[in-house]
Amino acid sequence: MTSIYESLGIPTIVNAKGTSTRVSGGLMEPEVAAAMREATEHCVDMATLQGRASEIIAEATGAEAGIVTSGAAAALLLGTAACITGLDPAKMNRLPDTRGMRNRVVMVRSQRNFYDHAVRAAGVEIVEVGLPDRFSGAGVRDAEAWEIAGAIDAHTACVLYVAQPHSRPALPAVAAAAHDAGIPVLVDAAAQLPPVENLRRFVAEGADLVAFSGGKAINGPQGSGILCGRRDLVAAALLQNLDLDLFIEQWRPPPSLFGNRTLPGLPHHGIGRSSKVGKEQIVALLVALQRFTSGGVEARIARCQTMLERIVAGLDSDLPARVEVAPHRVSGVPLLTVTVDRHAAGLDAFDLVLRLQDGTPSIHVDPSRVEAGAIVLDATCLRDEHPEQIAVRLNAILGAARRMRA
Ligand SMILES: *Cc1c(COP(=O)(O)O)cnc(C)c1O
């Protein structure tokens, strides 16, 4: 079968890395792809569509409201913009010029990462809090809630919290400190799924806005995401994302997001206009979300387990490497770890990463543990024919040194 990629002259890859953006996210299920295709066959009012999305996302997350975005990073930009402007259209029109507005975002120093670029893009400065002694090895503590409280002032737009199992302080304490000062908390939970329960967890723990990636575990379109949380903030985010080049008499605000609220005027194209999301992404994300919350995760985990076992079954028994399939500590997603015996194999784990990547087909794995001598494979984005291809390549690369000696 010739694929669309073949006709474009683009080689396809074997993605054993997972849903990372640079390796093109995951593989959509046929039902989701079919929904996306159907979405192309009619036109709709985009505000009405996002209004319905809000009801579905609210149901799945326990939040008051939600919209589909063009990714979690887009959700961070829109969420920050909403915290700066509230529902004031004059402020929306001025972004990213935030002079005279709340234009600082408080954030724990150990949570800084380059996705906060999306937050800074709204026109804010990040105020870092705490010195994470526990990472330098000089101590045991990280930032504490009282330090966050002390950093909040009249310029603070929100507190940004990056949810990871190791994030400190715990979210409920951060939310309490922020709410005492009347400031919202925006949570980056882009990759914190599965477990499915995490869809509801951060809102339940006090987040005012939460960003999820739609192209990672939810398995929606690669360029999709969710922003959910407080209704007024989500509405403010939507106003800065939609094309609002119309007269206010024509504007039919979706009741699920705006209730009876009237606006003094409509903003024009907002700061989030460059994170435009299409009807196709919205529809497909909603279908993917529905599948994700109704047993889809468990089925995918079982399929991943089988695929990794097929890789292991295809490996020669005397390879200079140790292999182990084990579930990720938090997500439960099974991972295959191959720990290379550097001397017997004549190459180290990073050489193996490069050899896999530079072969045909190109096989991408997780290199984050090469310093410990290991490569990690995730089966989430593998096609059915891939496990045996991976085993053949591992046998060839890892067995080469032994064959040379023999
Ligand atoms: C993946 C990720 C993002 C970006 O998500 P997209 O949906 O690709 O925009 C943001 N923050 C964190 C922590 C992530 O892991």
Side-chain angles (χ1 to χ4, degrees):
M1 189 185 71
T2 51
S3 76
I4 183 71
Y5 293 109
E6 235 172 274
S7 70
L8 290 168
I10 301 294
T12 57
I13 64 174
V14 175
N15 176 5
K17 166 68 178 70
T19 55
S20 302
T21 296
R22 69 184 165 281
V23 283
S24 75
L27 303 173
M28 266 198 284
E29 291 179 354
E31 293 81 356
V32 180
M36 193 165 196
R37 196 199 154 77
E38 264 187 65
T40 65
E41 293 172 3
H42 297 275
C43 288
V44 293
D45 179 86
M46 292 300 285
T48 307
L49 179 58
Q50 287 281 30
R52 179 70 185 121
S54 182
E55 295 170 346
I56 293 168
I57 292 168
E59 167 111 23
T61 60
E64 289 176 4
I67 52 173
V68 180
T69 65
S70 58
L76 293 175
L77 168 66
L78 293 169
T80 306
C83 292
I84 300 167
T85 63
L87 281 159
D88 181 342
K91 286 183 176 168
M92 292 178 189
N93 280 348
R94 279 170 49 204
L95 292 190
D97 177 351
T98 56
R99 277 173 294 181
M101 301 181 210
R102 290 180 176 269
N103 56 9
R104 294 185 192 156
V105 169
V106 170
M107 183 175 188
V108 169
R109 191 184 305 268
S110 64
Q111 295 178 19
R112 284 299 310 272
N113 67 86
F114 274 102
Y115 290 112
D116 63 44
H117 222 134
V119 170
R120 288 181 282 137
V124 298
E125 184 188 331
I126 288 183
V127 177
E128 294 183 359
V129 177
L131 262 189
D133 277 358
R134 64 184 176 129
F135 289 112
S136 61
V140 296
R141 295 198 292 171
D142 201 324
E144 294 175 352
W146 61 269
E147 294 177 279
I148 293 172
I152 293 173
D153 62 18
H155 301 288
T156 308
C158 65
V159 175
L160 174 63
Y161 187 87
V162 180
Q164 290 284 349
H166 56 263
S167 294
R168 298 289 178 277
L171 179 57
V174 175
H179 295 165
D180 275 350
I183 298 299
V185 179
L186 167 60
V187 173
D188 177 352
Q192 297 309 299
L193 302 169
V196 180
E197 301 81 72
N198 276 3
L199 271 176
R200 310 185 82 86
R201 174 173 160 201
F202 308 109
V203 168
E205 289 184 349
D208 298 274
L209 287 171
V210 185
F212 291 109
S213 185
K216 293 179 180 169
I218 295 173
N219 211 19
Q222 191 192 358
S224 70
I226 290 174
L227 177 68
C228 63
R230 251 169 58 188
R231 193 185 318 273
D232 59 322
L233 291 174
V234 175
L238 180 63
L239 287 172
Q240 300 181 75
N241 191 31
L242 286 175
D243 163 14
L244 290 175
D245 191 12
L246 75 169
F247 294 100
I248 197 161
E249 294 81 1
Q250 298 175 276
W251 165 239
R252 302 284 174 269
S256 61
L257 282 164
F258 292 87
N260 299 324
R261 196 189 293 271
T262 53
L263 298 170
L266 276 185
H268 297 251
H269 298 291
I271 185 98
R273 180 63 176 77
S274 51
S275 323
K276 165 172 165 173
V277 60
K279 60 185 179 302
E280 302 85 4
Q281 277 75 27
I282 296 175
V283 167
L285 185 278
L286 294 177
V287 173
L289 180 62
Q290 197 270 330
R291 294 177 66 78
F292 181 73
T293 54
S294 56
V297 192
E298 292 76 10
R300 184 138 32 98
I301 284 179
R303 180 172 163 273
C304 288
Q305 179 74 24
T306 308
M307 287 206 168
L308 295 180
E309 285 168 4
R310 276 167 52 200
I311 298 175
V312 173
L315 295 178
D316 295 340
S317 56
D318 54 352
L319 286 185
R322 214 158 15 86
V323 296
E324 186 195 26
V325 177
H328 183 273
R329 182 170 61 82
V330 179
S331 70
V333 172
L335 298 171
L336 167 60
T337 304
V338 178
T339 308
V340 180
D341 177 341
R342 194 156 63 87
H343 297 291
L347 52 77
D348 65 20
F350 195 55
D351 295 327
L352 179 56
V353 168
L354 296 178
R355 297 278 290 276
L356 288 168
Q357 189 176 321
D358 291 335
T360 306
S362 178
I363 299 174
H364 291 252
V365 301
D366 179 356
S368 63
R369 292 191 47 212
V370 291
E371 281 184 17
I375 66 167
V376 181
L377 288 80
D378 178 335
T380 303
C381 308
L382 293 184
R383 288 172 55 85
D384 194 52
E385 67 270 24
H386 288 161
E388 286 71 25
Q389 294 177 7
I390 293 171
V392 164
R393 287 276 290 289
L394 286 172
N395 287 337
I397 298 169
L398 288 170
R402 190 190 57 237
R403 280 193 300 277
M404 269 163 62
R405 277 198 300 273

